Amino acid sequence: MATGLLEGVIANMPMFRQVARPNLAELARHARVQHVRRGGTVCRRGEMMNCFFGLAYGLVKLSLRADGGDEKVLRLVGPGETFGEALVFRERPNPLDAVALADTMLVVFPAQAVNALIERDPNFARGLLSSLSERLHNMVAEVEASTLLSARQRVVAYLDSLAANGAAGRVRLPATKTVIAARLGVTKETFSRLLRELANQGLIAVDKRDIVLRDRPRLAEIAHPSAPAALSERRA
Amino acid sequence: MATGLLEGVIANMPMFRQVARPNLAELARHARVQHVRRGGTVCRRGEMMNCFFGLAYGLVKLSLRADGGDEKVLRLVGPGETFGEALVFRERPNPLDAVALADTMLVVFPAQAVNALIERDPNFARGLLSSLSERLHNMVAEVEASTLLSARQRVVAYLDSLAANGAAGRVRLPATKTVIAARLGVTKETFSRLLRELANQGLIAVDKRDIVLRDRPRLAEIAHPSAPAALSERRA
DNA sequence: CAATCCAGTTGATCTGCCTCAATTGCAGCA
DNA sequence: TGCTGCAATTGAGGCAGATCAACTGGATTG
């Protein structure tokens, strides 16, 4: 029952939550599995794609590269997440590079099967719409961060967002500091200096990829300087 | 036949191209018209929305604002375009401000009607998916511009993109230079200086909001420095 | 037709972050 | 166990673009 296994993997991806089981089985029949080793390329900028991907396990880096060698990481895709949906609905070349940062198992959904399922199950269409909408929100947040926030604010906001997902104030960077720096739109040197500075101020403690957030309130104040803190002088 | 008029307006919006006429009529029955004067607010960041918008005529600025007063314009929405789709499919507060830069007529599509139509017409769902996908591509391009390109490259690429839409090398800025500067993620001072510099080099000619692109090839070379030009020295 | 306001320009200065360069530490491997 | 290579750190210096400030010109208004 190999098909049943694939169906289970697909059923666990949040974007397919609302899809009726028989339809999932049908989708699974048309889906392919693809394994990519650490360091391997999933797809390259400029290629025409007619499929999108779901991630069973592993880690994939989606990034843009400048000719100068500079790299901007847009997203790190983890298990259960999908990417490349937008390529199915626009006849445009893929705008980003996708590279596996760990041994990875992908599920490949061909455009044809996707379109057929849209025809049959409005909940699948809604799942896609929801997925794309979330992606769009994230990109808006990304633009906001990279144009309106300082490097320090981006670093702190990122650490905070990692903690929100996990337990209390203990986070682990999902990739090397060099990759995270590219994710945050700073050089690795600047990233290193900022982490050190935050550590010196007692706000965080860094041990390789593990970081303890020692003072969430003050960190939040750095990331979102909405109110000028509580205790600064108020008189003229 | 007021309903018929609204239906016609809707039918002219590209995202509804593939929708069957009876379904459009049904959608029109549930849509509202909203007029906003120049300077008026369509919606504010933080509000919960349960609708999206189409633009019959006018101009709407979608922007982010930093507490420091800084503003980043994400998009200028023109006639026939839609915005806010993503808010219908995610229960999240609206991330941006929308302000009319000219007297504007909007068509408001309530979430309920949208969801009903998705149920009935897969082509409508595809129209939405296509629209969101394009938006996502544009945002990727936006991130690329703001993180990987210099201010000069962004300005030139923007002018070039305006020309692509219109005729030859004659473009008109769709808003004040201050707004365009915020669109490009630079201060108005820097924008002014860059335009002057390009003009001094004979690459463009500026007359208020009208700009003539005098040397498209060299401008393209500035925007996309893929090859280091043709004539630079090649010997060591 | 002054008064006001806002868009735009221009100059002088400042600075956050990048660039370049050198060094350390650790992991994989012969 | 030493070699090789990549991740990370740290220092010194430079620059693109922001900031601050002053001024111009056109449009609106009482």
Side-chain angles (χ1 to χ4, degrees), chain A residues 12-67:
Chain A
N12 268 328
M13 298 179 176
M15 86 149 275
F16 299 110
R17 260 313 130 65
Q18 300 300 323
V19 180
R21 204 59 191 230
N23 288 330
L24 274 193
E26 171 67 10
L27 184 62
R29 259 191 294 286
H30 295 282
R32 273 180 24 236
V33 167
Q34 184 177 346
H35 289 271
V36 184
R37 286 194 188 288
R38 178 171 201 267
T41 298
V42 177
C43 55
R44 254 183 268 273
R45 170 164 207 167
E47 293 174 349
M48 292 301 296
M49 309 288 302
N50 59 342
C51 61
F52 77 92
F53 301 93
L55 213 138
Y57 61 78
L59 185 64
V60 169
K61 174 184 76 176
L62 305 184
S63 64
L64 294 159
R65 258 177 306 123
D67 35 58

Side-chain angles (χ1 to χ4, degrees), chain B residues 12-207:
Chain B
N12 268 329
M13 299 179 176
M15 85 149 277
F16 299 109
R17 261 311 130 65
Q18 300 301 322
V19 179
R21 204 58 192 229
N23 288 331
L24 274 192
E26 170 66 11
L27 184 62
R29 258 191 294 286
H30 294 282
R32 273 182 23 236
V33 168
Q34 185 178 345
H35 290 271
V36 183
R37 287 195 188 288
R38 177 172 204 267
T41 298
V42 178
C43 55
R44 253 183 268 272
R45 169 164 208 169
E47 292 174 351
M48 292 302 296
M49 309 288 302
N50 58 343
C51 60
F52 78 91
F53 300 93
L55 214 141
Y57 61 78
L59 184 65
V60 169
K61 174 184 75 173
L62 305 183
S63 64
L64 293 159
R65 259 176 308 124
D67 35 60
D70 267 9
E71 181 185 40
K72 163 71 186 179
V73 175
L74 262 123
R75 194 177 153 212
L76 295 171
V77 184
E81 299 187 284
T82 55
F83 64 98
E85 296 95 323
L87 296 173
V88 170
F89 306 106
R90 290 254 121 194
E91 302 267 324
R92 291 247 224 125
N94 167 23
L96 4 111
D97 293 311
V99 172
L101 296 184
D103 290 350
T104 294
M105 171 179 159
L106 296 166
V107 186
V108 184
F109 303 101
Q112 204 178 352
V114 171
N115 276 309
L117 192 43
I118 289 174
E119 205 79 31
R120 202 151 2 96
D121 189 343
N123 279 330
F124 177 63
R126 265 190 272 274
L128 280 166
L129 285 164
S130 173
S131 181
L132 281 171
S133 297
E134 184 183 10
R135 219 58 54 73
L136 197 51
H137 275 130
N138 290 341
M139 290 298 291
V140 169
E142 190 67 31
V143 171
E144 177 168 23
S146 61
T147 59
L148 259 26
L149 301 185
S150 68
R152 177 178 294 99
Q153 289 175 315
R154 273 175 278 154
V155 168
V156 171
Y158 179 73
L159 293 179
D160 200 63
S161 75
L162 282 184
N165 299 344
R170 188 162 225 101
V171 307
R172 164 175 289 252
L173 300 180
T176 66
K177 287 180 181 168
T178 302
V179 169
I180 301 300
R183 169 72 245 282
L184 296 175
V186 296
T187 59
K188 58 188 191 314
E189 293 95 331
T190 297
F191 186 50
S192 176
R193 282 186 254 263
L194 286 172
L195 285 182
R196 162 160 297 279
E197 181 191 310
L198 292 170
N200 286 344
Q201 295 172 0
L203 299 176
I204 65 174
V206 182
D207 172 32

